[in-house]
Structures are given as structure tokens and as C-alpha cells.
Amino acid sequence: MKITFNNFSCLQGDGVIVPILEDKLITPNDEINNMLAHLKDSEKFEGKKGEIFTFTRTCGEGKIQDIIVVGLGRDKELNNEIIRKSLGSACKKAIALKCKKVFIKIINSTVISEKDIIKSMVEGLGLAEYSFNRYKKDKKENSLDFTLGNTEKENQEDNKINEYIKEAKLLVEATIIARNLTNEPANILYPETLVERVGEIGRESGFEVEVFDEKQIKSLKMDAFLSVAKGSDNPPRLIVMRYNGNPQDSNILGLVGKGLTYDSGGYSIKPTDGMVTMKGDMGGAASVIGTMSAIAKSNLRINVVAVVAACENLISGRAYKPGDIIGSMAGKTIEVLNTDAEGRLTLVDAVNYIIEKENADEVIDIATLTGAAVVALGDKVTAVVSNNNEFYNELEEAAKVTGEKFWRLPYFDEYKEQIKSEIADLKNLGGKYGGAITAGAFVGEFVKDKPWLHLDIAGTAWADSASEYSIKGGTGVPVRTIYQLIKNRQK
């Protein structure tokens, strides 16, 4: 995306976006003010949250501008997410109007800092501009040239504004990395090609990448991970990403992303409709890759290691079966009751690896894990299981900035009883009740009492329809929140 800051360029370009507070109808132009007064009198536009109205005006040498006014609601109720959604809607309207160069008036608010306003505006614009059309013959690229400005403040500090824009653009780019990876079809993106993409992103962003092949994975005794991978002709890969932003600090935060580049369900096969979007079953991996890019490019002063156990869950004569008993890197045996409960099997070996081999002091695992999470919380809220109140509170604080929604599920000992097997140490299914919790509890058996957050993004990593700043497909959740959590630790 192209976006710059210039206070007095409102007469340039073929489009103007004017965000309007319901109780402060102020715009950068008397002509637009007059039009707003008319719209309000005729009850066509009042600045209420979500309202949007467009008209055209003639300016300077007969040039025509499309004016897009978008409502924000009342100032006292304004928040970052309202700004993102409003600017996202306005961006999509500008695209529909075929605008190319657009001026956007900076919002003035008494309840939100200038920094948060600028960042939220840029995030809303940049994420709404995104499209995934690389496989269409006739590509229609959304390439807008945005200029932010505010004619009411002549002395705004350009350097500060540009820094806010820079960080927001970086987060947009990181989220788009995750979206692109999630949206790629499985015949294009499989473990070996995912390795290539991660290598490219690591070189560009500034983090180290190490890859383990099938033989090395076997030597690590990652039997649970390998069992899931056995049915595919595409060999698995263990991808390790390292960012050492604070060599003086020995603490390491571990990120683990579920990396099923395709999931058929195995012998517990999914129906066809359920398989169509399973190219996105590596949404957790995509999000940790995007997050690693953001923290490395920002030079955050923290040490982070991310691990992805990448494989495909398919059917063949080699594939694992319901009823099998398999091992794990931690030495625990697992009774397989359902081969479609495969993500947790790959996660536990990755979690064990990141603690034992990479010395992670804390772990966040992110996975499109259970339909039960979607049943419980819908597709707008990420389910969380955690063993540490302080760690979860950090997540909540970060989410207040990003607008991504999380909800903590209970984690009582009774749920842990549901995953005990009569013939092995554990079973990979805890029964039909509390499925999102028992799946998290299964992963929790391998965290060795480290502070831990389990994020089930089954509902939030993929959108079945477009919204204000997203399209149908991969969302990139929760890249921005994990970045914010890590950034907050530098205070």
C-alpha cells in the first residue's frame, strides 16, 4: 500500500475520504460542510457509526472529486476498531468508485490519542485494500495512493506522524503475509514450498530460519507429528524461526503455529464441503510467520522462537488409523480415536521441541483446531485456554489496542480427565462435550508448567464473507495482537 502524510493536499487527487463524528461535523472544506448540513437536515447522513454517503464536487480547473463521508458515531464512544472498520468501508467504496489518488482527513478525537488514531486509520485502509487474485486471468489490482492530512492543524509533527504510519504499514504487511499464506491452494503451498516462502520472508525481515527434514524429525522422535504426515507423498518439514532482539536477556518467548497445509481428515474423512477450505488449516502457522516478520522488521527488544510442524493429513496405505497407538517426542503414548483430531498431535511435538530444544520460557500456540470453538464462540472470537492469569491478562491488554477478540475458556482438572486413555497415556479426543477445552487440555499436557496460551482460531482465521476491512478467506488473525503483546513488554 502507498500512504503518506501531507496536511494540505486535500485538493489533490480524485477522491476524498472524510470520517465524521456524529457530534462534530467538521470537514476540510466549506463546500463539503454545506453539503453535510444539507444531508443532516434531510436525514440522509448524520455521522452515525457505520453510515457512509458519497457525492461528487467540481474543484480546481474543472476536476471532479468523489467525496466519501463515513460516520464514526459519537466521540465519547469512539475506539480503535470503529476507526478501522469505518476507514475500511470507505476504502472499499473508493475502490468501487475507481479512485486512484485519495486524500483522507485525519480524525480529531478527545478520547483517543493521535498515535492510535493514525495507526487505526492506516490499518483499516491497508487491510481493506487487500485482495487475493493472483490466479485470475484478468487481475484487477487495488492500488490506491493515500494521503493523510488535517487542514485544522498546521503544526503537526511530520516525523511523529510518519513513524505511526510506518508501524501501521508494517503490521498491515505482516497480516497480509498471513492472509496470503492461508489463501494459497494446497497444490501450490505444501511443506516444502512453505519452507521456501518462510526462507524468503526471513531473509527480507531479518530472522533466522532452520529447517528439519523427515530424517531429522524422526531422529527427534516426533512420532505424533510423523504419524499425521505419513499418509501424504509430500514429506513433512519442521520449520524453526529465531529472532534474537535482546542478546542481554536470556528469556525466550515461544510461538507455535499449526501447520497443516492441507487436512482431509485422514481416515476420519471430512465431507467435501468441509475440505474445500482446508488449505487454510495452517492459519496458525501463517500467523506466527507474519508475527515474526513484524517483530523482526520493528527491531523489538525481545527474543522469540517460532516453530511450525508442517505436513498434510491425507489417506494412503501408510496413513495412521483410528485405534492406533502412537508415540510423541515427550515419550507419552497417545491412543488415536479420530484422525481428524490431527492438529493437536502435531502441536504437542512442536511444543515439546520449543521447550526442550529452544529453551522457550513461555509458549503461545495458535491453531485452527476445533469446530467446537466455533460452536461455542462463533467466528468473531478466538477461544483461549491458559494456565497463567498474568499471561492471559497480557493478551487481553494487547487486544484492547488491536480490536481482535478473545475469550478465555475454563481449564479445570475435570477436562484433563476426559483425555486420559485406558490403554495409553492420553487419547486425542475427549468426547463430544467441551471439545475446544479438551483439545487445549491435550496440548497442555506437554507444556511442562511453562506459562502458556492456547489460541484456537478455527472460527477467526477464515472469513466466509467479506467485512469492513477483510475479504472472504484468510483474515491474518491474530498477528496484530501477538505483535502488540510482545511490543508491550518493552515498556
Side-chain angles (χ1 to χ4, degrees):
M1 67 180 294
K2 184 177 180 182
I3 185 162
T4 55
F5 170 67
N6 186 338
N7 258 346
F8 298 98
S9 62
C10 61
L11 296 181
Q12 299 175 12
D14 56 357
V16 178
I17 294 174
V18 186
I20 298 293
L21 289 163
E22 187 177 352
D23 43 355
K24 296 181 181 180
L25 297 181
I26 301 172
T27 81
N29 182 275
D30 288 338
E31 181 185 345
I32 299 175
N33 277 329
N34 292 335
M35 176 59 76
L36 279 172
H38 166 71
L39 294 174
K40 186 172 183 179
D41 290 343
S42 59
E43 298 182 346
K44 292 180 179 178
F45 180 88
E46 298 178 347
K48 295 184 183 298
K49 183 175 67 175
E51 276 189 304
I52 193 163
F53 193 90
T54 62
F55 58 92
T56 58
R57 73 177 187 127
T58 304
C59 61
E61 300 178 356
K63 293 181 180 178
I64 302 295
Q65 278 186 328
D66 290 304
I67 311 299
I68 303 166
V69 288
V70 57
L72 301 169
R74 296 188 176 278
D75 188 16
K76 65 181 180 180
E77 297 168 355
L78 190 64
N79 59 44
N80 297 342
E81 187 66 358
I82 290 173
I83 294 172
R84 282 187 205 94
K85 288 183 175 181
S86 298
L87 270 294
S89 295
C91 176
K92 290 190 175 185
K93 179 62 73 172
I95 291 169
L97 291 170
K98 295 181 170 50
C99 296
K100 296 299 180 186
K101 192 171 183 179
V102 181
F103 173 83
I104 306 105
K105 178 186 175 295
I106 294 174
I107 297 161
N108 296 314
S109 171
T110 60
V111 297
I112 302 181
S113 69
E114 181 179 68
K115 178 180 181 179
D116 283 346
I117 287 171
I118 299 293
K119 287 182 62 180
S120 298
M121 291 180 73
V122 174
E123 288 172 13
L125 292 166
L127 293 174
E129 189 184 22
Y130 171 79
S131 63
F132 187 80
N133 59 9
R134 64 182 58 182
Y135 299 107
K136 289 187 176 182
K137 181 180 178 181
D138 298 319
K139 296 181 178 65
K140 294 182 180 179
E141 299 291 344
N142 300 329
S143 182
L144 280 70
D145 184 346
F146 294 115
T147 301
L148 288 181
N150 193 336
T151 57
E152 299 145 37
K153 292 187 178 181
E154 296 186 33
N155 298 317
Q156 281 181 299
E157 297 181 44
D158 290 16
N159 290 339
K160 284 175 58 179
I161 299 291
N162 286 323
E163 281 300 310
Y164 304 154
I165 291 173
K166 180 181 177 182
E167 184 178 26
K169 285 175 66 176
L170 184 149
L171 285 174
V172 168
E173 291 164 3
T175 303
I176 287 174
I177 286 173
R179 287 183 176 183
N180 282 338
L181 290 172
T182 305
N183 287 328
E184 283 285 5
N187 63 320
I188 302 295
L189 194 71
Y190 44 90
E192 291 171 301
T193 53
L194 177 59
V195 165
E196 293 172 4
R197 297 282 182 95
V198 175
E200 293 168 2
I201 294 165
R203 286 188 292 274
E204 179 188 339
S205 305
F207 61 83
E208 174 192 340
V209 179
E210 184 177 7
V211 180
F212 296 80
D213 63 19
E214 194 169 8
K215 184 177 179 180
Q216 292 169 304
I217 296 167
K218 189 173 183 178
S219 71
L220 288 166
K221 298 183 178 180
M222 303 179 86
D223 294 340
F225 172 28
L226 286 172
S227 293
V228 177
K230 284 196 304 184
S232 175
D233 289 337
N234 288 319
R237 292 290 183 265
L238 183 70
I239 306 170
V240 181
M241 296 157 273
R242 303 183 185 96
Y243 170 74
N244 191 24
N246 189 356
Q248 286 73 43
D249 187 359
S250 61
N251 290 322
I252 297 172
L253 173 64
L255 304 178
V256 176
K258 178 183 171 183
L260 267 292
T261 58
Y262 190 76
D263 177 25
S264 71
Y267 277 107
S268 304
I269 195 165
K270 299 174 183 289
T272 300
D273 288 348
M275 280 195 267
V276 172
T277 59
M278 283 300 102
K279 62 182 183 180
D281 207 24
M282 41 69 69
S287 70
V288 302
I289 295 163
T291 302
M292 289 296 287
S293 174
I295 63 174
K297 284 185 175 179
S298 293
N299 297 312
L300 296 187
R301 299 184 307 278
I302 192 167
N303 305 319
V304 185
V305 175
V307 173
V308 170
C311 67
E312 295 178 322
N313 185 24
L314 297 177
I315 295 173
S316 74
R318 301 185 306 274
Y320 76 138
K321 306 170 292 298
D324 285 357
I325 294 179
I326 61 176
S328 66
M329 185 180 177
K332 296 182 181 182
T333 57
I334 302 164
E335 180 186 8
V336 177
L337 297 185
N338 188 314
T339 62
D340 196 25
E342 86 301 327
R344 66 201 71 181
L345 299 176
T346 66
L347 285 175
V348 297
D349 274 348
V351 165
N352 191 76
Y353 171 87
I354 208 169
I355 294 171
E356 289 293 316
K357 301 297 185 181
E358 301 293 336
N359 302 311
D361 299 285
E362 305 162 286
V363 177
I364 303 174
D365 78 82
I366 307 170
T368 51
L369 208 62
T370 67
V374 189
V375 172
L377 299 177
D379 61 359
K380 300 295 187 294
V381 181
T382 293
V384 184
V385 175
S386 180
N387 64 358
N388 188 282
N389 293 335
E390 289 76 18
F391 205 6
Y392 179 75
N393 290 341
E394 286 189 75
L395 181 73
E396 278 199 323
E397 285 302 309
K400 290 176 183 177
V401 176
T402 66
E404 295 177 336
K405 295 178 173 61
F406 302 84
W407 193 261
R408 189 177 183 181
L409 301 175
Y411 185 42
F412 303 128
D413 288 341
E414 286 81 355
Y415 295 110
K416 300 174 187 178
E417 291 295 318
Q418 288 180 234
I419 56 171
K420 288 184 177 179
S421 169
E422 294 179 357
I423 58 174
D425 295 319
L426 300 166
K427 54 186 178 182
N428 77 330
L429 212 60
K432 66 178 182 178
Y433 299 120
I437 302 170
T438 56
F442 183 88
V443 179
E445 290 294 308
F446 296 80
V447 300
K448 304 180 188 296
D449 296 322
K450 300 289 185 182
W452 163 67
L453 296 173
H454 164 71
L455 277 52
D456 191 335
I457 58 171
T460 53
W462 186 271
D464 288 327
S465 59
S467 60
E468 292 88 350
Y469 59 83
S470 188
I471 64 168
K472 182 178 179 179
T475 63
V477 170
V479 168
R480 292 183 296 111
T481 300
I482 303 304
Y483 170 89
Q484 188 66 43
L485 184 155
I486 293 169
K487 182 186 175 185
N488 286 348
R489 291 186 165 192
Q490 297 188 124
K491 292 181 180 179

